[in-house]
Amino acid sequence: ALKSVIDNLDDKVTDLFVVAHSLGNIVTRRYLADNHDPQTNRQGDPRLRRMVMIGPPNQGSKVARLMKHSLLFNTIAGKSGAQLAATWDKLEPTLATPSIEFGIIAGGQQDGDWSNFVLQGKDDYTVSVEETKLVGATDSLVRPLLHSNMMTQQIVLDATVSFFENGYFISESERKPIEK
């Protein structure tokens, strides 16, 4: 479906920037893998410039794995959530690491704040900061945000615009790439 949307954009659209939340990042990574040109080593549409991942379960999701037998979880998360929960080991190899510049915004509480007891370390109550990481990100940002509404928070909106315009969330000197 994502490919269909992108393929049907008007020719006047010359630059594409992707911002995705949660499972939308997995969908986008699958699109990039499925639409790879080995001759040019280009992923997806050639107009793609930069991507911001908000709360991405790039390493799978412990919460999804624990809830995989829940009717409520399966109703809300659907087939993609089931893949994330039950068959991550089969899904992960089908996902591309974006070849375009990409940044990751994760939710993580301050010391002493709320936390999801099933996750280790900082988390957004659904995905841990560690689960969001993907080697190759040119910048990353962790703020005390909840997974369910992080995409509507002003700090996320401002950081996303900054990344699209500049290639960093806050400043060049405060860039935090994710490396091996």
Side-chain angles (χ1 to χ4, degrees), residues 40-95:
T40 63
N41 203 29
R42 181 77 184 164
Q43 299 169 331
D45 191 288
R47 298 173 290 179
L48 286 171
R49 300 293 177 247
R50 290 187 173 127
M51 177 177 180
V52 171
M53 298 179 170
I54 302 172
N58 282 321
Q59 304 302 318
S61 168
K62 184 175 184 178
V63 169
R65 287 189 298 277
L66 290 172
M67 298 191 63
K68 68 183 174 187
H69 298 298
S70 163
L71 178 61
L72 179 62
F73 173 79
N74 287 304
T75 301
I76 293 170
K79 181 180 177 183
S80 55
Q83 286 181 311
L84 185 66
T87 59
W88 178 251
D89 58 330
K90 292 181 181 115
L91 177 63
E92 185 179 27
T94 69
L95 305 176

Side-chain angles (χ1 to χ4, degrees), residues 69-130:
H69 298 298
S70 163
L71 178 61
L72 179 62
F73 173 79
N74 287 304
T75 301
I76 293 170
K79 181 180 177 183
S80 55
Q83 286 181 311
L84 185 66
T87 59
W88 178 251
D89 58 330
K90 292 181 181 115
L91 177 63
E92 185 179 27
T94 69
L95 305 176
T97 296
S99 59
I100 57 173
E101 280 187 300
F102 69 98
I104 298 171
I105 301 174
Q109 66 279 8
Q110 303 295 321
D111 290 336
D113 284 351
W114 47 265
S115 179
N116 184 330
F117 68 94
V118 302
L119 298 173
Q120 294 178 340
K122 295 185 177 199
D123 62 76
D124 63 13
Y125 226 49
T126 302
V127 179
S128 72
V129 171
E130 287 302 311

Side-chain angles (χ1 to χ4, degrees), residues 100-169:
I100 57 173
E101 280 187 300
F102 69 98
I104 298 171
I105 301 174
Q109 66 279 8
Q110 303 295 321
D111 290 336
D113 284 351
W114 47 265
S115 179
N116 184 330
F117 68 94
V118 302
L119 298 173
Q120 294 178 340
K122 295 185 177 199
D123 62 76
D124 63 13
Y125 226 49
T126 302
V127 179
S128 72
V129 171
E130 287 302 311
E131 290 172 325
T132 69
K133 291 182 178 179
L134 185 61
V135 171
T138 55
D139 200 1
S140 60
L141 182 66
V142 178
R143 291 293 183 263
L145 301 162
L146 291 174
H147 191 79
S148 59
N149 69 353
M150 61 189 349
M151 72 296 265
T152 64
Q153 301 303 303
Q154 195 62 49
I155 181 99
V156 172
L157 301 173
D158 293 343
T160 298
V161 170
S162 176
F163 190 85
F164 287 163
E165 290 176 347
N166 307 302
Y168 53 75
F169 291 123

